Amino acid sequence: MCKNHGVAYVKPGEVEVREIDYPKLALGDRKCHHGVILKIVSTNICGSDQHMVRGRTTAPEGLILGHEITGVVIEAGRDVEFIKEGDLVSVPFNIACGRCRNCKEGKTGICLNVNPARPGAAYGYVDMGGWVGGQSEYVMVPYADFNLLKFPDKDQAMEKIRDLTLLSDIFPTGYHGAVTAGVGPGSIVYVAGAGPVGLACAASCHLLGAAVVIVGDMIPERLAQAKSFGCETIDLRNKTPLPDAIAEIVGVPEVDCAVDCVGFEAKGHGGNADKEMPATVLNAAMEITRAGGSIGIPGLYVTGDPGAIDEAAKKGSLSIRLGLGWAKSCSFHTGQCPVMKYHRQLMQAILYDKVQIAKAVNVQIISLKESVQGYKDFDRGAAKKFVIDPHGMIPN
């Protein structure tokens, strides 16, 4: 039997690589005839993983992390018809049955059948159904025919694997944020956050035809990364009010669309840059978005945050200026990205060289052993997207 190793959450601030069970085509005590086992080609560290590792969720000790997965099928269940052994596939981070009302409506991020606690499930994530994560050597994927995106040419896909690995989450998530904010040709857009999702969102805004993409962050290296592919940038440590900073770029203190790629661990701006203020980004987005504009919110907000600044925030209750958003008739769109809504189209954009997404988010390949240090570097704000290569399969 093949051995398997995975990245486990140990305690706040600590992960380790452990030997774990080799996956089986099983769901508890019953066979999972609709599933496959993958040999992992690439699996990425995500900012959402960092929330757990920082101790900002109720994640249990020993949870195997990882929801951004690309791999080769090495075993397929009896009922899998269209995915074959040897196929190289992208795995949406959303686990979806393909049978429930929400799946049939394309809302695969809130499938009704894969998590007994609430709608929606993901690999290796707290309160998301107990599915084993994919920052490992091998993983089981259920409902394979529905969930998996097969790359049409395996050799071509391996040449572009640094880009294609991002289809499992951050590229569709950033794109979803831009789409739900109404980004289109000629738009002026503000993207809050220059982490990997924010950078993917900014690249998506360019792909959608935005005229100006402004990215705000507090880490100079991340702002430099955004500037490297044509974004305007705002250093949020500066005391210049955000509307005034935007006016210095586009002449008016507002934008057509805003996207929150930060989430619940947001900090204040200017003089409050060292203070956690979880509603900062949402309130700033309402302030700077024009009347009638839209705000996309792919940034993560949680219902349980033991490390929050007050009792309300621990339950996900934030001091949001909803009256301002209402007065301006702003639209808001929240929740997980339904990856399958976008991943095939974005795959085509990658394969036909319409976007250089790995370059935009600064992909760095690391080994499974190096993932522990990768988490530490990412937590310090490295302007990189760490991609784990467990088997040494990614070409230099």
Side-chain angles (χ1 to χ4, degrees), residues 50 54 194-195 217 219-223 375-384 386:
Q50 283 288 15
R54 291 187 189 119
D217 202 285
I219 300 175
E221 293 79 9
R222 288 183 168 184
L223 291 172
Y375 268 97
K376 292 177 181 178
D377 292 344
F378 192 29
D379 191 49
R380 286 194 287 263
K384 298 174 181 178
F386 291 102

Coordinates of all heavy atoms in Angstrom, one line a residue, residues 50 54 194-195 217 219-223 375-384 386:
Q50 N -4.8 30.1 6.0 CA -4.1 30.9 7.0 C -5.0 31.3 8.2 O -4.6 31.4 9.3 CB -3.5 32.1 6.4 CG -2.2 31.8 5.7 CD -1.0 31.5 6.6 OE1 -1.2 31.2 7.8 NE2 0.2 31.5 6.0
R54 N -3.9 30.5 11.9 CA -3.7 31.6 12.9 C -4.6 31.4 14.2 O -4.5 32.2 15.1 CB -4.1 33.0 12.3 CG -3.1 33.4 11.2 CD -3.4 34.9 10.8 NE -2.6 35.3 9.6 CZ -3.1 35.6 8.5 NH1 -4.5 35.6 8.3 NH2 -2.3 36.0 7.5
A194 N -4.0 42.9 -1.7 CA -3.1 42.4 -2.8 C -2.5 41.1 -2.4 O -1.4 40.8 -2.8 CB -2.0 43.5 -3.0
G195 N -3.2 40.3 -1.7 CA -2.8 38.9 -1.5 C -3.1 38.2 -2.8 O -3.6 38.7 -3.8
D217 N -3.5 48.0 -0.4 CA -2.9 47.1 0.6 C -1.9 47.8 1.5 O -1.7 49.0 1.3 CB -2.1 45.9 -0.2 CG -2.0 44.7 0.7 OD1 -1.2 44.7 1.6 OD2 -2.7 43.7 0.4
I219 N 1.2 46.2 2.4 CA 2.5 45.5 2.3 C 3.1 46.0 1.0 O 2.6 45.7 -0.1 CB 2.3 44.0 2.3 CG1 1.7 43.6 3.7 CG2 3.6 43.3 2.1 CD1 1.3 42.1 3.8
P220 N 4.2 46.7 1.1 CA 4.8 47.3 -0.2 C 5.2 46.2 -1.2 O 5.0 46.5 -2.4 CB 6.1 47.9 0.4 CG 5.8 48.3 1.8 CD 4.9 47.2 2.3
E221 N 5.6 45.0 -0.8 CA 6.0 44.0 -1.8 C 4.7 43.6 -2.6 O 4.8 43.3 -3.8 CB 6.6 42.8 -1.1 CG 8.0 43.1 -0.5 CD 7.9 43.8 0.8 OE1 6.8 44.0 1.4 OE2 9.0 44.3 1.3
R222 N 3.6 43.5 -1.9 CA 2.4 43.1 -2.6 C 1.9 44.2 -3.5 O 1.4 43.9 -4.6 CB 1.3 42.7 -1.6 CG 1.6 41.3 -0.9 CD 0.5 40.9 0.1 NE 0.8 39.5 0.5 CZ -0.1 38.8 1.3 NH1 -1.2 39.4 1.7 NH2 0.2 37.5 1.6
L223 N 2.0 45.4 -3.1 CA 1.7 46.5 -4.0 C 2.5 46.6 -5.2 O 2.1 46.8 -6.3 CB 1.7 47.8 -3.2 CG 0.7 48.0 -2.1 CD1 0.9 49.3 -1.3 CD2 -0.7 48.1 -2.7
Y375 N 4.0 28.3 4.9 CA 3.0 28.9 5.8 C 3.5 30.1 6.6 O 2.8 31.1 6.7 CB 2.4 27.8 6.7 CG 1.1 27.1 6.2 CD1 1.2 25.9 5.5 CD2 -0.1 27.7 6.3 CE1 0.1 25.3 5.0 CE2 -1.2 27.1 5.8 CZ -1.1 25.9 5.1 OH -2.2 25.2 4.6
K376 N 4.7 29.9 7.1 CA 5.3 31.0 7.9 C 5.6 32.2 7.0 O 5.3 33.4 7.4 CB 6.6 30.5 8.5 CG 6.4 29.5 9.6 CD 7.7 29.0 10.2 CE 7.5 27.9 11.2 NZ 8.8 27.4 11.8
D377 N 6.1 32.0 5.8 CA 6.4 33.1 4.9 C 5.1 33.8 4.4 O 5.1 35.0 4.4 CB 7.2 32.6 3.7 CG 8.6 32.1 4.1 OD1 9.1 32.5 5.2 OD2 9.2 31.4 3.3
F378 N 4.1 33.0 4.1 CA 2.8 33.6 3.7 C 2.2 34.4 4.8 O 1.7 35.5 4.6 CB 1.9 32.4 3.3 CG 0.7 32.9 2.5 CD1 0.7 34.0 1.8 CD2 -0.5 32.1 2.6 CE1 -0.5 34.4 1.1 CE2 -1.6 32.5 1.9 CZ -1.6 33.6 1.1
D379 N 2.3 33.9 6.0 CA 1.7 34.6 7.2 C 2.4 36.0 7.4 O 1.8 36.9 7.9 CB 1.8 33.8 8.4 CG 1.0 34.4 9.6 OD1 -0.1 34.7 9.4 OD2 1.6 34.5 10.7
R380 N 3.7 36.1 7.0 CA 4.4 37.3 7.1 C 4.1 38.3 6.0 O 4.7 39.4 5.9 CB 5.9 37.1 7.2 CG 6.4 36.5 8.5 CD 7.9 36.5 8.7 NE 8.5 35.6 7.9 CZ 8.9 34.4 8.3 NH1 8.7 34.0 9.6 NH2 9.5 33.5 7.5
G381 N 3.3 37.9 5.0 CA 2.9 38.8 3.9 C 3.7 38.7 2.7 O 3.7 39.6 1.9
A382 N 4.3 37.5 2.4 CA 5.1 37.3 1.2 C 4.2 37.6 0.0 O 3.1 37.1 -0.1 CB 5.7 35.9 1.2
A383 N 4.8 38.3 -1.0 CA 4.1 38.6 -2.2 C 4.2 37.4 -3.2 O 4.7 37.5 -4.3 CB 4.6 39.8 -2.8
K384 N 3.8 36.2 -2.7 CA 3.9 35.0 -3.5 C 2.7 34.1 -3.3 O 2.0 34.2 -2.3 CB 5.1 34.2 -3.0 CG 6.5 34.9 -3.2 CD 7.6 34.1 -2.6 CE 8.9 34.9 -2.8 NZ 10.1 34.2 -2.2
F386 N 2.2 30.2 -2.9 CA 2.9 29.0 -2.7 C 2.1 27.8 -3.2 O 1.0 27.6 -2.8 CB 3.3 28.8 -1.2 CG 4.3 29.8 -0.7 CD1 3.9 30.9 0.1 CD2 5.6 29.7 -1.0 CE1 4.8 31.9 0.5 CE2 6.5 30.6 -0.5 CZ 6.1 31.7 0.2

